[in-house]
Amino acid sequence: MGTTSNRRKRLVVLVSGSGSNLQAIIDACADEQLPAEVVAVVSNKPDVFALQRADASGVPAVHMGVHPGEERSDYDARLADVVAGFDPDLVVLAGWMRILTMSFLGWFPQRVVNLHPALPGELPGTDAIARAWDEAVGGTRTQSGVMVHLVPDEGVDDGPVLGTAIVPIDVQAGFDAFAALVHQAEHRLLVDTLGDLCSTSPSPATSPALSEVSA
Ligand code: GRF
């Protein structure tokens, strides 16, 4: 895994929803902007549009639901098994809305990358875009942003930062305009950061320099 410098990096992308970030990755791979290929897409939710996007691009699309009463660690061990079967250089959490335990993360040290629609240390968890907006409307915030970071452990939206981008909030323009800017920033930052990681050899996510990259 990840020991050959010139081959395209193998990405497994974990999703839970629409998959617009997945699409940005697939498109960037297709137009050679990203020296990588998406070798599988795994969703914890059935029937999400992200799985259709994978299908449409000829990428294996796997739904892995949680069994009734299944312990989180057991699900994560099953998930690790499935993901490891695709031999990824990187595992990309692109709209993956489920906390991962060490039962999964322990199998992919320095190789799990998360995207979060807020700046480091701000607004961890769900609905970060809406919470940033509410704070802006309340007069306590003028900007938010997006970040891409490594996932070393079970901390939520926390870990060594690989890249960030600031998104200003214009309350006159409305929430939808702000959300659209955040999503644009996510797509760009995710592709750029993966580009940095995938161009680094031999083991992309372990270079100390990458923790200093900032968009
Ligand atoms: C993104 O805003 C991501 O940061 C958040 O969920 C959204 C997923 O969007 N965690 P998509 O499924 O990639 O369109």
Side-chain angles (χ1 to χ4, degrees):
M1 278 203 307
T3 51
T4 309
S5 58
N6 290 328
R7 77 169 165 83
R8 290 161 72 84
K9 304 298 183 195
R10 298 172 61 83
L11 310 181
V12 171
V13 183
L14 271 51
V15 297
S16 302
S18 149
S20 66
N21 286 285
L22 166 68
Q23 192 67 57
I25 296 170
I26 289 173
D27 292 348
C29 291
D31 71 12
E32 307 284 328
Q33 196 187 341
L34 201 52
E37 59 180 320
V38 179
V39 294
V41 172
V42 182
S43 172
N44 62 322
K45 301 251 177 76
D47 306 325
V48 291
F49 191 49
L51 290 173
Q52 290 181 41
R53 293 183 194 264
D55 264 342
S57 300
V59 175
V62 180
H63 167 234
M64 264 204 63
V66 181
H67 294 156
E70 187 174 29
E71 295 285 339
R72 188 170 284 275
S73 59
D74 290 338
Y75 175 86
D76 284 1
R78 279 201 301 125
L79 180 67
D81 228 29
V82 169
V83 171
F86 290 101
D87 190 21
D89 292 297
L90 291 171
V91 179
V92 184
L93 311 183
W96 171 258
M97 303 302 283
R98 185 180 162 87
I99 293 170
L100 292 168
T101 64
M102 295 311 291
S103 295
F104 179 87
L105 298 170
W107 288 97
F108 308 101
Q110 302 286 323
R111 289 177 189 277
V112 180
V113 173
N114 183 46
L115 169 70
H116 182 59
L119 292 169
E122 297 186 3
L123 305 165
T126 57
D127 300 321
I129 301 173
R131 286 185 285 139
W133 175 257
D134 288 345
E135 290 180 10
V137 170
T140 59
R141 174 182 287 279
T142 58
Q143 64 178 34
S144 188
V146 300
M147 72 163 159
V148 176
H149 65 94
L150 289 174
V151 185
D153 55 33
E154 295 165 19
V156 176
D157 299 319
D158 191 25
V161 175
L162 299 171
T164 62
I166 288 172
V167 179
I169 306 178
D170 176 359
V171 289
Q172 303 307 319
F175 174 76
D176 289 349
F178 169 58
L181 285 179
V182 172
H183 292 308
Q184 280 169 25
E186 283 190 310
H187 300 163
R188 198 166 44 236
L189 182 69
L190 185 57
V191 167
D192 286 352
T193 306
L194 290 176
D196 291 338
L197 290 171
C198 292
S199 305
T200 307
S201 62
S203 183
T206 53
S207 165
L210 288 168
S211 61
E212 293 152 21
V213 170
S214 180

